[in-house]
Amino acid sequence: MEEASPALDQAGWPVLNIERKHKGSLVEQIVAAISAMVGRRELRVGTKMPSVRQFAKCNGVSTFTVVEAYDRLVTLGLLSSRRGSGYFVARQDLPAALAPAVLQATPAAIDALTPELYSGVSEALPVGAGWLPPEWYGEDTILDAVRQAMRIPANRLRGYGHPLGFPTLRQYMASTLGEELFAVEPEQILLTHGATHAFDLVLRTLTRPGDTVFVEDPGYSNLLSLIRHHGCIAVGIPRGEHGLDLEALARQAAETQPKLMFVNTVLQNPLGTSLTVAQAHRLLALAEQFDFWLVEDDIYRELAPRGEASLAAMDGLRRVIRVGSFSKTLSPVLRVGSICASASLIPELLRVKMLAGLTTSEINERAVYHAITARPYRRMVEKLVTQLDAGRERAMASLREAGMTLLARPRGGMFVSAGWHDAPTPEWNGKLIADQALKHGILLSPCDFFMLRPPEAIWFRFNVAYADHPQLLTFLRLICRQKN
């Protein structure tokens, strides 16, 4: 049945029928409703949309929600943004992939770039999120570091900051990396707005549209979207409980001549497993044989046991580019990541960084420096690892009790992946279950987010801080009853 047109307020703006019970779905509801109005020709090309403030007031939502919805509609091509003038309807036809979904007016949907998975402001239980509760971090240490960073010298307010990043932080990182992993000079460290920004800079610098890029399958969900955004061809290399399928990697490398490969050596996302030293050596040999770069996603190393394999340490940054981040041991709100690379590669990465955004935030980088050099930091990380270990054991026990099977036993870190042996069908798959969970106030990350191959079973990545929550376990038992 066709959805009824929305009512209009006194100014003629549409008043949408929004279900406010679960705030995590507000953006999706607005996107679906406006897309449906475009599809029904109720909003024609050139129509000016209400301002963000007007729309928010009319529909009783926050301006942040409206901004996210409008931005997503711009990305879909349905709206255009004109500086100083507002938002306008940009096209009359719906994108083919979008049309069936919005005309069915599904009120809640989730994808790998759903803002609620990253914002931390949704009231939904963030079972699929990549961040931990604030109390798990050393809140006092972080807040004190931010306060110290705000005491930036007045003469530092005149410039943009050093393009490579805050020099004192880079010097400290070079010193600690030299003690723990490999020798590196401060000039070989480029600071970024987190790890995803680092991946983007590497792709911008080393690839062109049409290049083949290897990723782990399953692997980091945002990375898959980023590779496609750059026009590259993502090829998945199977990864399971016992590591990478290196034979499959060798076959694919011979056929496709990859430009580079992204790999989580330690505590892989989403499986939580680590490569053995032997596998790491074999991977380096294949990269040498087939002449491709290795981008080592090393953001979980501080949460891992000592002595795990390090591609950057084994290779000496000849063919390996190491990406780090502080979001897993401090807070994701401090958007500070890093690239360690050969002295010959850093100038080009720096040039691309400056073209894309000049510099990164020196205040954030100062805050990170104050935090990691504070006396409590090492104890804070040790406490965090202990909490994660306990949370992981509880999560695995609870998920088994709820009738789920683990994909792998993690060696540490934040995630446990588990599911059922059922093969996905159009009527029964991880995405549909995640959409149903969202209606129950739960944010899930289904296997579809992490895989290039069609999944052979239905599974999810669980954040161990939330995976034993009664609300989640009640929902999983409900799904088991429906499934059986």
Side-chain angles (χ1 to χ4, degrees), residues 3-18 33 37 40 42-43 50 55 58-59:
E3 183 190 23
S5 299
L8 304 178
D9 73 353
Q10 293 180 346
W13 306 124
V15 181
L16 305 182
N17 182 23
I18 294 176
M37 293 172 70
R40 292 193 299 265
E42 293 170 10
L43 292 174
F55 192 104
C58 176
N59 287 280

Side-chain angles (χ1 to χ4, degrees), residues 25-270:
S25 67
L26 290 179
V27 172
E28 290 291 346
Q29 291 182 66
I30 293 169
V31 170
I34 292 176
S35 300
M37 293 172 70
V38 171
R40 292 193 299 265
R41 303 287 198 273
E42 293 170 10
L43 292 174
R44 298 189 176 276
V45 174
T47 300
K48 184 177 182 180
M49 296 296 294
S51 72
V52 169
R53 191 176 299 277
Q54 289 167 328
F55 192 104
K57 182 178 179 181
C58 176
N59 287 280
V61 296
S62 74
T63 55
F64 297 106
T65 298
V66 181
V67 168
E68 289 181 7
Y70 276 9
D71 283 349
R72 194 175 302 188
L73 287 160
V74 170
T75 300
L76 291 169
L78 294 181
L79 297 185
S80 62
S81 173
R82 304 176 194 171
R83 180 171 293 184
S85 300
Y87 293 86
F88 296 81
V89 177
R91 60 190 290 181
Q92 199 65 71
D93 61 308
L94 292 178
L98 180 65
V102 301
L103 294 178
Q104 290 169 7
T106 302
I110 188 170
D111 63 36
L113 295 176
T114 294
E116 284 74 14
L117 280 171
Y118 303 92
S119 67
V121 299
S122 171
E123 290 187 356
L125 185 68
V127 179
W131 42 265
L132 297 169
E135 60 270 20
W136 283 43
Y137 301 108
E139 293 175 275
D140 292 341
T141 299
I142 296 168
L143 291 173
D144 183 61
V146 171
R147 283 190 288 267
Q148 291 190 59
M150 293 303 294
R151 300 180 190 138
I152 186 170
N155 65 343
R156 296 301 305 139
L157 299 177
R158 290 198 296 266
Y160 288 91
H162 196 291
L164 282 172
F166 183 42
T168 309
L169 176 57
R170 290 188 290 107
Q171 290 164 5
Y172 183 79
M173 290 177 62
S175 174
T176 54
L177 283 170
E179 293 172 3
E180 298 173 6
L181 287 175
F182 54 89
V184 62
E185 297 297 325
E187 292 73 24
Q188 291 178 261
I189 299 175
L190 174 70
L191 300 183
T192 64
H193 289 297
T196 302
H197 181 216
F199 299 151
D200 182 55
L201 292 179
V202 169
L203 286 166
R204 289 173 183 265
T205 303
L206 296 180
T207 68
R208 293 180 297 178
D211 282 346
T212 296
V213 175
F214 282 1
V215 293
E216 298 173 300
D217 195 7
Y220 177 45
S221 56
N222 280 24
L223 181 58
L224 305 180
S225 301
L226 187 61
I227 291 168
R228 295 188 183 107
H229 179 77
H230 282 283
C232 296
I233 301 166
V235 173
I237 305 301
R239 179 152 181 176
E241 182 165 18
H242 303 294
L244 279 167
D245 186 340
L246 295 172
E247 297 305 317
L249 191 155
R251 290 194 300 271
Q252 289 285 0
E255 293 174 7
T256 63
Q257 297 180 318
K259 192 75 174 182
L260 54 86
M261 178 178 184
F262 291 91
V263 60
N264 256 160
T265 312
V266 172
L267 303 186
Q268 194 252 9
N269 178 9

